[in-house]
Amino acid sequence: MGITKTENFTPSQIRIAQLAKAIGHPARIAILQYLISCNSCVCGDIVDVLPLAQATVSQHLKELKDAGIIKGEISGAKTCYCINEVVWEETASIFNGLLNSYHSINECCAPDAACC
């Protein structure tokens, strides 16, 4: 696979891609849904609710944390995780903006339409 030339993209495009990658796996979605449902910091029992090994869950948590979507605080021998509210709002704003920027053009991709 080739090297991505990120300098050819805007900071906004790079951030959207980073956030999309972070939430782009079903296990990460499951982790986020679990954290949301708990509505508090969760310490250590995330692996108990997923059909994955501890090492795999740790890798998924790392991806979410690297993107800033979740926060992790060390508490004794465990790390407690919760949603990072600031980045959660940023993510919602970014994806809402992207999705809402599309306005349907009924004749696009019709058999006789002139496409871009």
Side-chain angles (χ1 to χ4, degrees), residues 104-116:
S104 179
I105 306 169
N106 291 331
E107 58 276 342
C108 182
C109 297
D112 58 346
C115 289
C116 345

Side-chain angles (χ1 to χ4, degrees), residues 84-95:
N84 181 337
E85 293 174 4
V86 171
V87 177
W88 191 260
E89 290 298 322
E90 173 198 13
T91 303
S93 176
I94 285 172
F95 284 106

Side-chain angles (χ1 to χ4, degrees), residues 6 9-19 90 94-95 98:
T6 56
F9 302 99
T10 67
S12 175
Q13 291 167 331
I14 293 167
R15 183 62 175 152
I16 291 168
Q18 180 187 33
L19 292 168
E90 173 198 13
I94 285 172
F95 284 106
L98 176 64

Side-chain angles (χ1 to χ4, degrees), residues 46-108:
I46 295 173
V47 73
D48 297 334
V49 298
L50 295 173
L52 302 170
Q54 174 65 52
T56 304
V57 172
S58 293
Q59 279 301 113
H60 288 300
L61 288 166
K62 181 183 180 323
E63 288 289 332
L64 290 167
K65 191 172 177 192
D66 287 349
I69 297 172
I70 63 172
K71 299 186 278 188
E73 305 257 340
I74 297 174
S75 176
K78 297 182 177 183
T79 303
C80 298
Y81 293 97
C82 61
I83 299 291
N84 181 337
E85 293 174 4
V86 171
V87 177
W88 191 260
E89 290 298 322
E90 173 198 13
T91 303
S93 176
I94 285 172
F95 284 106
N96 284 332
L98 176 64
L99 295 171
N100 291 329
S101 68
Y102 174 75
H103 301 286
S104 179
I105 306 169
N106 291 331
E107 58 276 342
C108 182

